[in-house]
Amino acid sequence: MLDHNPSNKIIEWRRMSAKYYQKAAWNQLLAVDNYREKTLQQADRFAQLSFEDQMAAMEYAELADAESALILELELED
């Protein structure tokens, strides 16, 4: 994110959010598979990873939303 263009920052944060949501979904599937196989420790670990990835995804989405709102506010002032 070397480019300081606000639009590029928003796009990058949206991409990061999507990446972490994809990871969260994959880890959730692995948690379910391990639960079915009765490997509960592994299931718990993948569920925790899924949760952490979801939190990271939400943080990036919130950053993008805040930047978008700030840009809109600045445009309305001009």
Side-chain angles (χ1 to χ4, degrees):
M1 287 194 308
L2 294 175
D3 192 348
H4 296 302
N5 183 349
S7 297
N8 289 344
K9 283 198 299 189
I10 293 168
I11 291 167
E12 184 60 27
W13 286 331
R14 296 267 184 236
R15 283 187 180 141
M16 292 299 294
S17 179
K19 173 185 165 186
Y20 278 102
Y21 275 125
Q22 287 175 330
K23 285 177 63 178
W26 183 251
N27 283 326
Q28 191 64 39
L29 289 172
L30 291 172
V32 170
D33 287 346
N34 278 282
Y35 180 76
R36 286 183 187 153
E37 294 172 7
K38 306 289 190 235
T39 50
L40 301 181
Q41 261 188 332
Q42 287 292 74
D44 185 50
R45 180 67 184 132
F46 282 117
Q48 182 62 37
L49 287 172
S50 178
F51 175 78
E52 291 169 6
D53 289 336
Q54 287 178 43
M55 293 298 105
M58 287 179 14
E59 286 178 23
Y60 279 111
E62 288 171 359
L63 283 170
D65 290 345
E67 185 75 16
S68 294
L70 181 61
I71 290 171
L72 180 61
E73 188 176 313
L74 290 173
E75 287 177 357
L76 291 174
E77 285 180 3
D78 289 338

